[in-house]
Amino acid sequence: MTSGKTWLMWDEAVTGYDFGPSHPMDPIRLALTMRLVETLSLDRESAVHAAPAAAESTLRLVHHPDYIDAVRRSSVESAPPEEPYGIGTTDTPAFPGMHEVSSLIVGQSVAAAEAVWRGEAPHAVNFTGGLHHAMPGAAAGFCVYNDAAIAIARLLENGAERVAYVDVDVHHGDGVQTAFWDDPRVLTISVHEHPRALFPGTGWPEETGPPHAAGSAVNVAVPPGTSDAGWLRAIHAVVPELLEAFRPQFLVTQHGADTHVEDPLAHLTLSVDAQRAAMEACHGWAHSYADGRWLALGGGGYAVVDVVPRSWAHLVAVASHAPVDPRRAVPEEWRRTVHALTRQDAPRSMSDGGTGEFRSWEGGYDPADEVDRTIMATRKAVFPTHGLLA
């Protein structure tokens, strides 16, 4: 196990990832998260680093050259839409400097992964990353470059033989799954709201990879309305057994905060306490199954004051081995900052009152329970390919 502090990637310039004032992905969520991290003194528990933007050769580990060229063209004032490349749509409008700031976010994730792989840090966090919908040849779902996939590709380039990716964003991690669909060295696991109910409409249990990489893709599609106990049950009923069987050398996780009950774009009903419990689980799994090598990323999250900063501050705290007591009051200094920047009232506690408790899968399968049926569909589809009993 590597000694030293967890790396926290931060460059104030990432707040330039800005699709405009009416877009739900408001970059204030990033600034408020970092201000909360600082107010909680978590920046002293971790080692804050900034990395340069990813070079084009790094972006090409996942993205097609013509797509990168389209992003460059779209990064100047009043650029025309590049709709064949998913740019200029309502979801992913063009904005000046788009290539530069998107490359900067990738640079943070790649540098973080490399630091952990080289043994310079035990874990690393880039909550500005996790842009998991970007495809090799197109932008999608607010995501321009897929920093998660590029970081994994760099790990493979540097000699990693098995990398596991666990995505607990409310939306399916479709871009990462696509990037490694036919690569048995990468296990992608996504726990998300059912594709019948939510963008991008993919992530069915039957999506398990091609024959030569059978079981490399895993999808747990929980029903709308799933709350803390069911969501945590689904994660724990699928993820740890697969990680134990796959034996990854590195764990990359994506922690979109849009699973929360207050998120305006989805339909799960989680608390920040369940999100924190999943972070703690991922931290434990990194130590149990990946020799402690862990890169944790952000992702979605559109309750930009009430949810995202608290959730990702917990992520930094967990990864830094300095967990914040959920019962702790939110610092008044941060609440004043929130009001000054947004004119909104900030939450008062680091908890929503959730317990993080759930019923273990070992206790038995309930065929009348919709979440249990979801779990069983995934286990039946993918567990046999790993030599596991469904």
Side-chain angles (χ1 to χ4, degrees), residues 191-205:
V191 182
H192 48 266
E193 186 175 341
H194 201 285
R196 284 199 190 96
L198 197 65
F199 174 89
T202 56
W204 298 78

Side-chain angles (χ1 to χ4, degrees), residues 145-214:
Y145 292 140
N146 196 319
D147 65 289
I150 295 170
I152 293 169
R154 174 55 58 82
L155 288 168
L156 298 175
E157 187 179 56
N158 286 346
E161 297 175 351
R162 294 177 307 281
V163 179
Y165 172 76
V166 176
D167 187 320
V168 296
D169 192 290
V170 79
H171 301 91
H172 176 223
D174 57 337
V176 183
Q177 175 178 288
T178 296
F180 301 106
W181 178 252
D182 59 356
D183 191 336
R185 297 175 297 173
V186 181
L187 174 68
T188 64
I189 305 175
S190 179
V191 182
H192 48 266
E193 186 175 341
H194 201 285
R196 284 199 190 96
L198 197 65
F199 174 89
T202 56
W204 298 78
E206 296 79 15
E207 296 172 33
T208 60
H212 67 277

Side-chain angles (χ1 to χ4, degrees), residues 317-384:
V318 168
S320 300
H321 304 102
V324 172
D325 188 335
R327 297 167 295 181
R328 180 171 177 173
V330 171
E332 282 300 318
E333 179 185 348
W334 184 75
R335 298 187 75 248
R336 289 193 295 270
T337 298
V338 168
H339 194 267
L341 293 176
T342 69
R343 293 296 183 262
Q344 296 183 43
D345 291 331
R348 294 185 176 276
S349 171
M350 291 298 291
S351 170
D352 292 330
T355 65
E357 296 177 354
F358 63 95
R359 185 168 56 91
S360 170
W361 185 252
E362 284 71 25
Y365 163 61
D366 180 1
D369 184 274
E370 194 172 3
V371 172
D372 276 19
R373 293 198 299 272
T374 288
I375 294 168
M376 185 57 78
T378 299
R379 290 176 65 100
K380 284 184 175 179
V382 76
F383 271 42

Side-chain angles (χ1 to χ4, degrees), residues 253-268:
T253 59
Q254 196 267 22
H255 298 269
D258 42 10
T259 50
H260 196 274
V261 64
E262 293 184 25
D263 196 273
L265 300 188
H267 318 99
L268 300 190

Side-chain angles (χ1 to χ4, degrees), residues 59-68 85 133-139 144-146 149 174-180:
L59 300 177
R60 286 190 182 196
L61 292 173
V62 167
H63 294 292
H64 301 160
D66 59 322
Y67 171 61
I68 298 170
Y85 295 101
H133 293 307
M135 293 291 175
V144 178
Y145 292 140
N146 196 319
D174 57 337
V176 183
Q177 175 178 288
T178 296
F180 301 106

Side-chain angles (χ1 to χ4, degrees), residues 275-312:
Q275 294 174 340
R276 179 182 178 275
M279 297 164 187
E280 291 276 17
C282 289
H283 184 197
W285 293 331
H287 284 285
S288 296
Y289 306 120
D291 198 27
R293 299 187 188 99
W294 182 33
L295 169 60
L297 305 172
Y302 311 100
V304 299
V305 170
D306 286 351
V307 178
V308 174
R310 291 186 300 151
S311 183
W312 290 348

